[in-house]
Every structure is written in structure tokens, then in C-alpha cells.
Amino acid sequence: NPNPNPNPNSNRNPHPNPNPHPIPEPAFVAFLAWCFCVFNGYMQARSLCSYSSLPAQVSLTPRFVVGVGLWFAGLIINVHADETLRNLRGPGEAGVYKIPRGGAFEYVTGANFFGEIVEWLGFAIARGDIYGFAFAFYTAANIGPRAMQHHRWYLEKFKEEYPKERRAVIPLLL
């Protein structure tokens, strides 16, 4: 059984298509993500419009301003992290893995996950009710384990090259 990757230290993926099954899995995953976003958007809007009693001056409260500020900071972190990940590979580098650097990646492996958690935490604070905090909690509970899994993968893949001070998803903590 010959090794498909003769150089054991190479960061190249020996299998360009890790999913050899003919099922269009990415399309199905994208469809499920779309369904979730539609359902979540509906539920958030419905609860805001039908079940919340926000005062007309809510946008002037410190809680709202802090929440919107956190949301905006999370958005910037998330967009920067996604851009960094998209640009990790150059032309002809398919299957080559690199360590993301810059921005929140200097502190956490899952900078995109961290940004999304900050966004939803900001939303919850601005909203100021159990519905927003419940969604922020469930988002963190869903994203946190994925970030931990990514962090373990990077540690195993890059061993000594990987920054030891970098955490998985929450800077300085987790």
C-alpha cells in the first residue's frame, strides 16, 4: 500500500477531493444553512415585533449603544477573518494549508467564530431580553466546539510552528 504523499512533512493534501461521493453535499449544506437563516430571521423578527415591548427611545440607552458597538466590532472581526481565510492560498496552492495571521487570528484560531459570537452577544445586549441572549448562548454552544476542533487540528498539523499563546475561540481564555 504505497503512501500517496511521499513527503511526510508536506502540508499538501494528497486527496484533492476528500469527498469522492457523487452527492452534491455542499449544495445540501448550503440549503440547510439557508433554511436555518430564514427560520432564525423570522423567529427573531417575530419576537421583536410581536412579543417585545421596547420603548421608543431604546436607541438612546447605554445598553443599546454598547450592544450595537459590540455587534459592529464582531462584524469587523468576522469580515476580516473571512477575508484572511479566503486569501490564505495563492494561485496553484490548492490543498496547501497555512497558518492564518493578522487581526484576531493573533489571539484565537477561530477568529471568524469569535467574531460571530461577539456579533450575537452585541445583538443580545442591544435587544436586552431572553430571546436575544438565548440565541447568543446557542450560537456560542454551536460554534465553540467547532472552534475547539479547528484549534486541535491546527496544533496537530503544524505542531511547533503553531503559536502556543493562541487560544481556540476566546482570547486569553478558551
Side-chain angles (χ1 to χ4, degrees):
N1 190 6
N3 182 356
N5 189 356
N7 180 359
N9 296 323
S10 172
N11 287 332
R12 288 201 169 270
N13 180 355
H15 307 287
N17 182 6
N19 183 8
H21 304 292
I23 299 170
E25 189 173 311
F28 182 67
V29 170
F31 173 72
L32 289 177
W34 179 83
C35 290
F36 172 79
C37 288
V38 168
F39 180 72
N40 178 52
Y42 170 77
M43 295 303 288
Q44 294 290 338
R46 175 74 189 248
S47 66
L48 273 172
C49 294
S50 301
Y51 305 112
S52 293
S53 57
L54 297 174
Q57 297 83 13
V58 73
S59 62
L60 303 176
T61 65
R63 183 198 80 225
F64 187 81
V65 172
V66 167
V68 169
L70 261 176
W71 176 86
F72 194 67
L75 177 68
I76 291 169
I77 291 167
N78 201 355
V79 168
H80 180 267
D82 286 345
E83 185 72 17
T84 300
L85 290 173
R86 266 194 303 278
N87 293 323
L88 266 182
R89 295 180 183 147
E93 291 185 321
V96 175
Y97 296 101
K98 296 180 181 179
I99 299 170
R101 305 218 185 254
F105 282 112
E106 295 303 314
Y107 306 99
V108 293
T109 300
N112 51 335
F113 300 136
F114 173 64
E116 189 162 342
I117 290 169
V118 171
E119 282 180 76
W120 284 108
L121 180 61
F123 174 80
I125 290 170
R127 187 171 168 160
D129 63 13
I130 189 68
Y131 305 109
F133 283 105
F135 190 76
F137 172 78
Y138 287 115
T139 297
N142 180 29
I143 290 176
R146 288 175 33 208
M148 298 296 288
Q149 180 185 22
H150 284 220
H151 188 67
R152 280 191 300 275
W153 183 88
Y154 273 100
L155 288 172
E156 290 172 12
K157 180 76 172 170
F158 293 102
K159 300 186 186 340
E160 296 302 316
E161 288 180 66
Y162 203 72
K164 298 295 179 227
E165 68 282 353
R166 195 178 286 186
R167 300 290 187 235
V169 69
I170 309 231
L172 307 174
L173 296 176
L174 180 66

